[in-house]
């Protein structure tokens, strides 16, 4: 299960969480032993391998579908994140960006705003697994970082825009729920169906009665 190729992918995935040391601190395992294990040495017990995978959101080696994965990377230059992305989206995914993360190099002056401004935010999903990538405002996710594994939701970067604002704290520095992610993901021109509602209820694990109660509370 954890051949050299998979361990290389896991090593890249650590970059989504601030690096290997950040992951080992969260998992409560020795950083040196993890480094050796990633290089093919039998230095981690099964229990510690499980703790490492949990910290990456990959219990038993499979992506967790019960919550939105939150990643932050601080560099994109010459970085290929596809090996790690394949762990979460083996069959590919789509991506869309926050409205303030769409300017790219067409307006470079906006890229060098003070650090008090929100991170650039991008969302990825294959319809089952959901993830958010945050980057410092001064850098923007490039196509070479995601390769052909990830495609823009509406065909082009500029058209693939999330329905969120800069004061939406769950998106800019928190963790949106699955329902919040799905609501922001859908294009504002998309007509929702009854099946969409049922899918959200199922993902949230709530009863029909609870769903009705929440709707009534929000509209009362």
């Amino acid at each position: 299960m954890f051949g050299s190729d998979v361990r290389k992918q896991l090593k890249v995935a650590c970059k989504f969480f601030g690096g290997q040391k950040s992951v080992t601190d969260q998992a409560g395992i020795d950083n040196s032993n993890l480094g050796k294990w990633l290089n093919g040495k039998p230095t981690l017990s099964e229990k510690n391998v499980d703790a490492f995978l949990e910290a990456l959101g990959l219990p038993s080696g499979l992506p967790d579908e019960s919550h939105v994965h939150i990643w932050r990377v601080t560099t994109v230059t010459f970085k290929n994140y596809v090996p790690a992305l394949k762990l979460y989206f083996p069959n590919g995914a789509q991506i869309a960006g926050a409205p303030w993360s769409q300017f790219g190099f067409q307006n470079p002056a906006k890229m060098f705003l003070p650090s008090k401004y929100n991170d650039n935010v991008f969302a990825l999903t294959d319809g089952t697994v959901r993830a958010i990538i945050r980057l410092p405002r001064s850098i923007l996710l490039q196509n070479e970082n995601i390769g052909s594994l990830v495609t823009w939701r509406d065909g082009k970067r500029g058209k693939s825009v999330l329905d969120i604002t800069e004061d939406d704290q769950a998106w800019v520095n928190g963790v949106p729920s699955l329902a919040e992610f799905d609501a922001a993901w859908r294009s504002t021109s998309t007509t929702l169906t009854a099946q969409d509602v049922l899918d959200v209820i199922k993902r949230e694990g709530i009863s029909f009665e609870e769903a009705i109660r929440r709707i009534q509370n929000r509209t009362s």
Side-chain angles (χ1 to χ4, degrees):
M1 180 179 179
F2 299 109
S4 60
D5 289 344
V6 174
R7 296 191 191 203
K8 289 178 181 178
Q9 289 177 277
L10 292 169
K11 190 172 185 177
V12 177
C14 290
K15 299 181 185 300
F16 290 162
F17 299 87
Q20 185 177 307
K21 182 64 166 57
S22 295
V23 175
T24 55
D25 286 347
Q26 181 178 340
I29 61 179
D30 183 79
N31 185 46
S32 177
N33 285 341
L34 174 62
K36 294 174 183 176
W37 183 85
L38 289 171
N39 288 322
K41 305 295 183 181
T43 52
L44 289 185
S45 66
E46 182 177 344
K47 178 181 178 180
N48 284 343
V49 170
D50 289 343
F52 170 55
L53 294 175
E54 286 282 351
L56 292 179
L58 296 166
S60 301
L62 299 174
D64 193 336
E65 301 174 6
S66 67
H67 70 276
V68 178
H69 298 264
I70 302 296
W71 303 328
R72 191 174 193 273
V73 298
T74 56
T75 180
V76 296
T77 306
F78 305 119
K79 295 295 182 182
N80 177 13
Y81 292 115
V82 173
L85 290 170
K86 285 183 177 179
L87 292 170
Y88 301 90
F89 307 108
N91 298 313
Q94 292 185 322
I95 185 170
W100 62 90
S101 303
Q102 296 300 316
F103 43 78
F105 293 108
Q106 288 75 24
N107 194 348
K110 289 187 178 180
M111 297 184 68
F112 299 100
L113 295 171
S115 58
K116 68 178 181 179
Y117 287 87
N118 293 332
D119 283 345
N120 283 320
V121 176
F122 296 90
L124 303 91
T125 185
D126 60 2
T128 303
V129 178
R130 303 160 182 79
I132 293 173
I133 296 181
R134 296 176 179 141
L135 308 92
R137 193 63 174 250
S138 60
I139 62 176
L140 198 66
L141 198 67
Q142 300 299 306
N143 289 335
E144 54 264 34
N145 304 136
I146 57 178
S148 60
L149 181 73
V150 179
T151 58
W152 291 99
R153 184 193 62 190
D154 299 301
K156 295 182 179 180
R157 179 195 294 264
K159 294 182 178 180
S160 305
V161 183
L162 297 166
D163 185 17
I164 58 176
T165 61
E166 286 197 76
D167 60 359
D168 191 331
Q169 294 304 305
W171 276 89
V172 300
N173 56 27
V175 183
S177 68
L178 298 181
E180 289 171 329
F181 182 102
D182 291 344
W185 174 262
R186 294 188 180 93
S187 171
T188 54
S189 62
T190 299
T191 300
L192 300 181
T193 67
Q195 187 59 50
D196 292 322
V197 177
L198 291 174
D199 288 343
V200 172
I201 291 173
K202 181 178 179 181
R203 294 190 195 105
E204 289 293 289
I206 60 177
S207 65
F208 292 125
E209 291 79 5
E210 174 64 13
I212 292 172
R213 185 188 67 78
R214 294 185 187 183
I215 292 171
Q216 291 175 333
N217 286 343
R218 294 189 67 176
T219 56
S220 59

